[in-house]
Amino acid sequence: MNPYILSTLLFGLGLGTTITFASSHWLLAWMALEMNTLAIIPLMAQHHHPRAVEATTKYFLTQATAAAMLLFASTTTAWLTAQWAIQQMTHPLPSTILILALSLKIGLAPVHSWLPEVLQGFDLTTGLILSTWQKLAPFALLLQMQPAGTTLLVILRLASTLVGGWGGLNQTQLRNVLAYSSIAHLGWMVLVLQFSPTLALLALLTYITMTSSTFLTFNLNKSTNITSLAISWAKSPALTCLTPLILLSLGGLPPLTRFMPKWLILQDLTNQDLPCTATLAALTALLSLYFYLRLSYAMTLTMAPNNLIGITPWRTHHSQLTLPLAFFTMLTLLLLPLTPSALALLSPY
């Protein structure tokens, strides 16, 4: 792609998300989300592969449906309550439609089925943008809405943690595994959104950090399925030693970074007299932990079958910058000691 066109598209992508952050009006937020979607469509279809074009079409149709639902719900709010403010959602009907529309945009269960199919059709760099940056704008609107504990939202929370763990068990493609991992982590974020928006934001930031390090690791190794992980030791031995720690951090094991938001979320749910919800969330986390352990086992304790013709791949020089990978890997593994600082930020004044 032409560098000038690429710069324009990336500028539009950042501008759409930034306008969403700054907007308090539903019409302006809808326009910013549309700008964001239209900027990423050419980035998705730039390789002209049939799978990429198919995934781009699915993504466009899904986002267009969610945008139509959002515009319909916001105009219904203006008709019923004579105001467009995001923070003043009082009527239950448009609030429910808006929650469903934003859930469809980010891929919360049970409106999640597009995410694994779409993510499987892209390369790992585009998948990284889709799994991290594209979650920011809809999640910012959910944070501004601060939806109450409706039955719909409780179903979305628990279904996402369950589906995200259950759906990734029998996957062999790494992008499908990461898609279901995204669904499960989004369920954890929405789980605590009603009680502590700051904690939900902390969970989102740690998710973006660890997902970035995972995508960059797989992209450096050129790994797209579990079988190709078995020859990663021949390409980058040091990174092969660190990757299981990154995956276990995604699973939420101490003393790694992701243990901090999960621990705080379970503690907050218990303080809100929701022990059953906290127990169910912790049990569904075991499902996600299983397929992270499966990936770790395939990467470190197995070897791909080789014959005399199939030789070990050469350690060729790669063009990917390793500084972002080193930075995100360090954050993924070493942030747990900052938990007291996080507690000080989360505690009410």
Side-chain angles (χ1 to χ4, degrees), residues 86-87 89 140-149 153 193-194 197:
I86 298 176
Q87 295 88 353
M89 298 298 298
L141 294 179
L142 280 175
L143 280 174
Q144 289 189 63
M145 284 181 63
Q146 292 187 1
L153 201 57
L193 183 63
Q194 174 191 355

Side-chain angles (χ1 to χ4, degrees), residues 26-209:
W26 275 117
L27 191 59
L28 184 61
W30 172 79
M31 292 172 60
L33 289 174
E34 289 300 288
M35 186 187 305
N36 201 347
T37 302
L38 293 177
I40 200 174
I41 291 294
L43 296 175
M44 291 177 169
Q46 62 177 324
H47 297 294
H48 304 291
H49 191 273
R51 289 295 301 273
V53 174
E54 177 188 351
T56 305
T57 306
K58 290 178 180 177
Y59 180 78
F60 174 74
L61 293 176
T62 304
Q63 298 300 307
T65 303
M69 291 173 60
L70 193 145
L71 185 61
F72 171 73
S74 58
T75 52
T76 305
T77 302
W79 177 43
L80 293 174
T81 62
Q83 52 87 23
W84 290 83
I86 298 176
Q87 295 88 353
Q88 298 177 4
M89 298 298 298
T90 55
H91 201 279
L93 176 62
S95 298
T96 303
I97 299 176
L98 283 167
I99 291 173
L100 279 175
L102 294 174
S103 301
L104 182 60
K105 271 195 169 292
I106 60 178
L108 276 177
V111 286
H112 68 284
S113 55
W114 64 272
L115 184 57
E117 294 291 330
V118 166
L119 200 60
Q120 180 60 29
F122 298 139
D123 61 338
L124 289 168
T125 304
T126 309
L128 172 61
I129 299 174
L130 180 61
S131 299
T132 55
W133 185 263
Q134 290 300 98
K135 310 289 186 189
L136 293 176
F139 199 81
L141 294 179
L142 280 175
L143 280 174
Q144 289 189 63
M145 284 181 63
Q146 292 187 1
T150 59
T151 305
L152 172 66
L153 201 57
V154 172
I155 293 173
L156 292 176
R157 295 164 179 168
L158 297 179
S160 295
T161 56
L162 181 61
V163 168
W166 196 269
L169 292 180
N170 62 342
Q171 301 296 328
T172 59
Q173 298 294 321
L174 295 180
R175 284 165 290 187
N176 280 341
V177 171
L178 292 173
Y180 282 106
S181 171
S182 173
I183 294 167
H185 284 294
L186 286 171
W188 278 85
M189 297 170 210
V190 181
L191 200 61
V192 78
L193 183 63
Q194 174 191 355
F195 309 112
S196 178
T198 313
L199 181 54
L201 184 60
L202 174 66
L204 176 65
L205 293 178
T206 54
Y207 158 76
I208 289 175
T209 300

